[in-house]
Amino acid sequence: MTDEIYETPASTPNFRTELAAQLAELVPEAIADGKVDVEKLKELLDGDVADSNERFGLFWPGKKRALRAAQEPTTATLKPDFDNSKDWDTTQNVFIEGDNLEVLKILQKHYHAKIKLIYIDPPYNTGKDFVYPDNYKEGLDTYLEWTRQVNEEGKKVTTNAETEGRYHSNWLNMMYPRLKLARNLLTDDGVIFISIDNHEHDNLRKLCNEVFGEGNFIESIAWNKRIPKNDKGIGSIHEYVLVYARSLADAPELTVRKDGLDAIYELLKRLKDKKTPLAEAQKEIRHLYKKQGYDRGITLYNALDANYRLWGKINMSWPNADTFGPRYDVFHPVTGRPVKVPDRGWRWKEDTFKEAAGIVDGKYTSVQPTHNGGYICGRVWFSADENMQPSSINYLDEVDRFLLRSVLSMKSDGGIEVERMFEGKSYFSYPKPTALLRTLISAVPLRDGDTVLDFFSGSATTGHAVIQLNAEDGVKRRHVQVQLPEPVVPGSAAAKAGFSDLAELARERLRRVAAELGTSGVAQGMDLGFRAYTLTDTNFSKWRLSSDVEEDALQQHLLSLRDSATDDASADELLTEILLKQGYSLTEAVSPDEVGGLDVCLVRDRDGDIAVLAYLNEHVKPTLEQLRAFVDESPTRIIVLEDAFQGDDELKTNLAQLAKSKGIEIWTA
């Protein structure tokens, strides 16, 4: 191979090797004979190293192996599934059927640090959920074994019952490597939401503290489902959503949109027209809050002024406990006596306060009584006397977004939603409501082209929610769903309807969401499709070998191979694998073409120029003139199967020289 020809990597990145390379760059003196000298590293870190005998953290059987499962590269790939896709040529959404551990590894190359938001609803480990067996066989083999539903001993591997032993360890061994890989995909300002209940909430919190860093914890949101369940003598009505940032310093403020408030504004207008007493009007507003389920932050705005405008109070004391704000006298607008100055001083400077309170020449220009005995002066609220500190006020109709609350109240009606879509049939077990997902997703400021990833897709509620939000606000978010082909329960309604597994059901749900929006007429210009892929082993025989194989054995393996690509692999399958391993996305614009009399595949960039020209027929050796025609197309990159040269190194070298003259990269596979 010449210096001008690049070889497609056989597997996903080896994270252990990459980490060692980073250490070599940062601390070269800690590398000896190409290996990390751990003792030297401890010596250099000195006081920063924890006492190994008294470490704080979460430990369980199999943790080291679980970490290696995340670091181990894979040769697996994704196979395009055109039949199960919708709008393949135009969509930017993706649905992947397969084990999410292997899929997360495959996504590392292109999607590293590119995902703004991840939501997952993993198994809660109730004893009935699927969790991989703790047999240290994570990876593609485990996935292929699981799709047969029994392991090599004939034992079912579909649940993690408490009677099996290592009950919590099995679950942690499943979650740990997946969260490690997921963190790599988040942007610096990315956020992850994880649904969980009491079975593993405490373990998941500790695990996330380790993976994401305790300092990047944002909140443990309590989701009030409003369905009391007798749990050990207490009516349990909530689950949790853990929220972590990739970097808290870069994380955005999580806010929700001011949507669905038209009914409140209409009621306010009617109350004002009827001159309803303010106290009575406020009761009607609160009743509407509860009836409409407006619990996403707007309950702070629960007071009315004389013009029937809803407002909420904001503390005017200095918020930072380590520093202090200005101190000056503020006099009550009715009693005339000074109010107590906050211990840390005021939030505003004195001139700012006077302007907000409408003070001119030492007097309040407007003093409006409120129904609860207080007073509003400009944008400042005072209590009935000087014994309570004043607050600044914000009007509801002047605020676009509200902070996401640590308690969310919404019905767990995901099952009803799905039943409505599937003619009253109950095909999914406890799907999350789209209202919850819409709230969480809308809290993160996503722009056109930003991606939402869910690698425990289940019933595809996340994809459904993304589509609905895009229809509501016009933002062109993308979604990537990953789901194991978990078989439906034999004899269930889903099985009787002809569905074989959960992935098939999820894809059908996405199609029905698209159909509903299309019927409603709001789908014009929206991306309602998805590209379907399935996890599979590599299409290249020469790559089907462990990365830990000895060099001599590897050479012997390569010599024994006649062809690099399997004969039953299509050009689309070969190109998908090559593009993934070279760092391209799953939604590239690919089209067949003919150049120099040979069938090729073209990948075009956003401007329509040829980014990649791929020749994938190893049985027909191209001539030099045909290769010259490839170069004349001026692609950014040319990919040719290694065996297409049929051992003609001179032909390969000539192609490299032709490409070099035009600044074109040559890659083989």
Side-chain angles (χ1 to χ4, degrees), residues 65-85:
R65 179 62 186 89
L67 176 59
R68 288 197 295 272
Q71 297 171 327
E72 186 70 24
T74 181
T75 60
T77 187
L78 300 178
K79 177 181 178 180
D81 184 357
F82 298 106
D83 292 339
N84 283 315
S85 300

Side-chain angles (χ1 to χ4, degrees), residues 287-307:
H287 176 71
L288 184 58
Y289 277 152
K290 187 176 295 186
K291 181 180 178 182
Q292 299 294 335
Y294 294 133
D295 293 311
R296 292 187 284 170
I298 66 173
T299 50
L300 287 174
Y301 294 78
N302 57 5
L304 291 169
D305 70 0
N307 292 315

Side-chain angles (χ1 to χ4, degrees), residues 347-633:
R347 179 188 296 266
W348 293 337
K349 294 180 181 178
E350 186 173 6
D351 290 344
T352 303
F353 171 80
K354 288 181 177 180
E355 181 180 355
I359 297 176
V360 178
D361 296 331
K363 295 182 180 180
Y364 293 95
T365 57
S366 173
V367 180
Q368 295 183 6
T370 62
H371 71 278
N372 57 2
Y375 302 93
I376 292 179
C377 302
R379 303 303 293 262
V380 178
W381 173 87
F382 289 87
S383 63
D385 55 36
E386 68 281 358
N387 292 321
M388 187 180 295
Q389 294 171 3
S391 301
S392 64
I393 64 174
N394 271 3
Y395 286 103
L396 177 63
D397 55 15
E398 295 178 351
V399 177
D400 292 326
R401 301 187 66 86
F402 309 94
L403 280 176
L404 183 66
R405 305 288 289 278
S406 61
V407 177
L408 297 176
S409 297
M410 55 194 64
K411 293 180 181 179
S412 182
D413 57 0
I416 297 174
E417 284 184 298
V418 175
E419 287 179 16
R420 179 184 58 80
M421 298 178 65
F422 285 88
E423 296 82 35
K425 302 294 183 181
S426 179
Y427 292 156
F428 296 105
S429 299
Y430 309 109
K432 290 294 184 290
T434 56
L436 174 65
L437 272 296
R438 292 201 312 273
T439 298
L440 299 176
I441 295 170
S442 67
V444 181
L446 301 180
R447 299 187 296 270
D448 288 353
D450 286 342
T451 300
V452 178
L453 169 65
D454 183 349
F455 53 89
F456 282 100
S457 178
S459 60
T461 303
T462 300
H464 186 167
V466 168
I467 294 170
Q468 284 189 327
L469 279 175
N470 290 351
E472 291 173 11
D473 59 22
V475 178
K476 296 178 181 178
R477 306 172 186 84
R478 301 172 182 175
H479 63 86
V480 175
Q481 312 282 297
V482 184
Q483 176 55 39
L484 200 70
E486 182 179 346
V488 299
V489 177
S492 65
K496 292 177 181 177
F499 294 102
S500 61
D501 56 60
L502 195 56
E504 183 181 3
L505 267 168
R507 288 190 297 263
E508 178 60 22
R509 178 180 184 178
L510 294 176
R511 293 190 194 95
R512 296 193 178 205
V513 172
E516 283 189 3
L517 284 173
T519 303
S520 67
V522 300
Q524 187 173 2
M526 285 185 60
D527 181 356
L528 299 176
F530 58 89
R531 288 190 176 186
Y533 291 90
T534 55
L535 179 68
T536 186
D537 202 356
T538 176
N539 295 296
F540 292 85
S541 302
K542 63 181 180 180
W543 293 344
R544 290 196 184 113
L545 205 63
S546 168
S547 61
D548 297 329
V549 71
E550 295 294 332
E551 183 177 354
D552 291 344
L554 177 60
Q555 290 177 350
Q556 185 61 41
H557 173 72
L558 293 176
L559 289 172
S560 68
L561 296 174
R562 297 183 61 187
D563 300 315
S564 62
T566 54
D567 288 333
D568 58 345
S570 69
D572 291 311
E573 292 166 2
L574 293 174
L575 182 60
T576 296
E577 177 168 4
I578 293 169
L579 291 178
L580 280 171
K581 289 175 177 174
Q582 290 189 12
Y584 290 91
S585 77
L586 288 166
T587 56
E588 300 292 345
V590 181
S591 60
D593 207 331
E594 182 180 302
V595 176
L598 297 175
D599 292 330
V600 298
C601 294
L602 302 181
V603 180
R604 297 188 181 274
D605 58 25
R606 293 180 180 179
D607 298 325
D609 297 327
I610 300 176
V612 176
L613 185 153
Y615 178 63
L616 306 173
N617 187 346
E618 62 185 352
H619 302 296
V620 177
K621 177 183 174 182
T623 66
L624 181 59
E625 287 305 311
Q626 288 172 322
L627 293 178
R628 193 187 304 275
F630 290 179
V631 173
D632 289 342
E633 292 292 322

